[in-house]
Amino acid sequence: MPENKSLENWLLFAWIASFASTLGSLYFSEIVGFVPCDLCWYQRILMYPQVIILGIAIAKKDYSIALYSLILSSIGALISIYHYSLQKIPFLADHAGSCGRIPCTGEYINWLGFITIPFLALIGFTMIIISSIMILKIRKAGR
């Protein structure tokens, strides 16, 4: 039984991370008025559905979702790392191709000199990745 409670907690943690990331993203675009660049949209495409699929998984106690959330979040994290690199590594910023009408090198926020929107997305994806890996490990140990 403690194994099931741990699975529930990790799944809830992943859902909270996806929900908070989605709310943060919507806050920046809909309330503050920041227009997302193309890479931001790709990150959103990979984050937003996770609120729904992880929520359904919680309701159904379906821990097999961890594999899917791991894949979606890993792709999202890679995009976030690339996007963050475009913002913070001068060589990449100078040689970045066009990224739609909003440049992907732009930094709407730069808290503490390193926290940008792609960095926040990376934190959200990383939290889901960790949760997914923990769920997969616990399930494997229980077999």
Side-chain angles (χ1 to χ4, degrees), residues 34-48:
F34 298 156
V35 178
C37 70
D38 287 353
L39 290 177
C40 288
W41 276 111
Y42 296 139
Q43 291 165 81
R44 286 173 170 214
I45 288 166
L46 293 161
M47 181 63 76
Y48 287 11

Side-chain angles (χ1 to χ4, degrees), residues 8-26:
E8 289 176 31
N9 290 340
W10 282 113
L11 193 56
L12 179 62
F13 181 74
W15 180 81
I16 290 169
S18 69
F19 187 70
S21 296
T22 298
L23 285 182
S25 168
L26 290 172

Side-chain angles (χ1 to χ4, degrees), residues 2-142:
E3 178 180 298
N4 283 344
K5 191 62 178 168
S6 182
L7 287 169
E8 289 176 31
N9 290 340
W10 282 113
L11 193 56
L12 179 62
F13 181 74
W15 180 81
I16 290 169
S18 69
F19 187 70
S21 296
T22 298
L23 285 182
S25 168
L26 290 172
Y27 169 78
F28 283 131
S29 64
E30 301 305 315
I31 295 173
V32 180
F34 298 156
V35 178
C37 70
D38 287 353
L39 290 177
C40 288
W41 276 111
Y42 296 139
Q43 291 165 81
R44 286 173 170 214
I45 288 166
L46 293 161
M47 181 63 76
Y48 287 11
Q50 294 198 63
V51 175
I52 296 166
I53 64 173
L54 290 168
I56 292 169
I58 290 170
K60 295 180 80 173
K61 297 190 184 321
D62 181 5
Y63 306 111
S64 63
I65 198 66
L67 176 61
Y68 307 111
S69 62
L70 176 63
I71 293 167
L72 288 172
S73 293
S74 296
I75 296 167
L78 290 173
I79 294 170
S80 295
I81 290 167
Y82 174 68
H83 192 182
Y84 186 70
S85 298
L86 285 178
Q87 292 180 333
K88 294 298 183 182
I89 299 172
F91 175 80
L92 292 177
D94 293 343
H95 296 87
S98 177
C99 187
R101 68 183 185 102
I102 304 298
C104 293
T105 55
E107 296 179 23
Y108 284 121
I109 64 168
N110 190 12
W111 299 333
L112 303 175
F114 72 97
I115 300 173
T116 64
I117 293 173
F119 185 82
L120 293 172
L122 178 60
I123 291 170
F125 284 124
T126 301
M127 291 167 64
I128 298 169
I129 289 168
I130 291 168
S131 299
S132 300
I133 290 170
M134 291 305 298
I135 291 168
L136 292 170
K137 280 186 164 187
I138 292 167
R139 290 187 75 214
K140 186 176 180 182

